[in-house]
Amino acid sequence: GQNIDQPTEMTATEGAIVQINCTYQTSGFNGLFWYQQHAGEAPTFLSYNVLDGLEEKGRFSSFLSRSKGYSYLLLKELQMKDSASYLCAVMDSNYQLIWGAGTKLIIKP
Amino acid sequence: ETGVTQTPRHLVMGMTNKKSLKCEQHLGHNAMYWYKQSAKKPLELMFVYNFKEQTENNSVPSRFSPECPNSSHLFLHLHTLQPEDSALYLCASSQDGTSGYNEQFFGPGTRLTVL
């Protein structure tokens, strides 16, 4: 079967760094996406990785290791507005997104 | 504002009612999707339309019926729903449904409650 695992909830302090991990087992791989979803709002795109390595975009970075079926999202200089759920999704061989249940990130002052 | 709108934003219906959810995208995309989001569960893909043709139906009960009259509009017709169908229903669109880097843009969702 297809499976995406990520922690249910994490807590971090404003100004700090947090890493949200995602492991996956899917039938085929056409890229891995990270989305951010604030409570009551639509998911919004953060990053896309299809090759191994680190992609940096401002305060957010995303890493992929295809051989390990592993990705992480790194958030630096945390701000209160970063409190949200972070969704990991893998595009399978049929170009459909398989989603994790999301990681709720709580930022404390 | 993602360029994808959904109406209504909230819907309460009885199990014998018939209602429809509407989605419209203003992005010129060719693929549209319906997802179900329940608390603490992964997004569940329900239906996919690519160039107005339905390409995916992930074993969704027949009480959910999609309609895609053109590439900008997508409907989800609901009838004789069950209380367990209460969830957030999200619509999304992407440039197409058959390529890798294919960012999906989501609407704000319809919060459905079935009594």
Side-chain angles (χ1 to χ4, degrees), chain B residues 46-100:
Chain B
M46 300 175 73
F47 301 104
V48 180
Y49 279 83
N50 204 24
F51 293 90
K52 300 189 297 179
E53 297 294 322
Q54 185 175 313
T55 58
E56 200 75 26
N57 175 348
N58 285 349
S59 304
V60 180
S62 59
R63 57 186 183 269
F64 295 91
S65 174
E67 179 189 359
C68 187
N70 55 61
S71 57
S72 298
H73 294 86
L74 186 65
F75 295 88
L76 188 63
H77 304 299
L78 316 171
H79 63 97
T80 59
L81 294 191
Q82 304 298 310
E84 60 264 29
D85 296 323
S86 298
L88 181 68
Y89 288 84
L90 289 164
C91 173
S93 71
S94 65
Q95 186 59 50
D96 63 62
T98 56
S99 62

Side-chain angles (χ1 to χ4, degrees), chain A residues 12-16 18 20 35-39 41-42 44 46 57-60 73 75-86 103-109:
Chain A
T13 304
E14 190 177 15
V18 71
I20 303 174
Y35 279 78
Q36 179 190 60
Q37 186 177 25
H38 285 100
E41 297 183 12
T44 55
L46 287 178
K57 190 185 293 185
R59 293 189 299 115
F60 292 8
L73 181 69
L75 291 75
K76 303 177 184 176
E77 301 169 16
L78 286 170
Q79 301 175 9
M80 297 303 293
K81 67 177 182 180
D82 298 329
S83 293
S85 288
Y86 291 85
T103 298
K104 182 178 181 181
L105 178 63
I106 300 168
I107 310 297
K108 295 187 174 179

Side-chain angles (χ1 to χ4, degrees), chain A residues 6-9 15 18 24 31 43 45 57 59 63 79 82 86-87 89 92 99-100 106:
Chain A
Q6 50 182 133
T8 303
E9 187 173 299
V18 71
Y24 64 89
F45 170 80
K57 190 185 293 185
R59 293 189 299 115
F63 172 83
Q79 301 175 9
D82 298 329
Y86 291 85
L87 311 179
D92 69 9
W99 295 82
I106 300 168

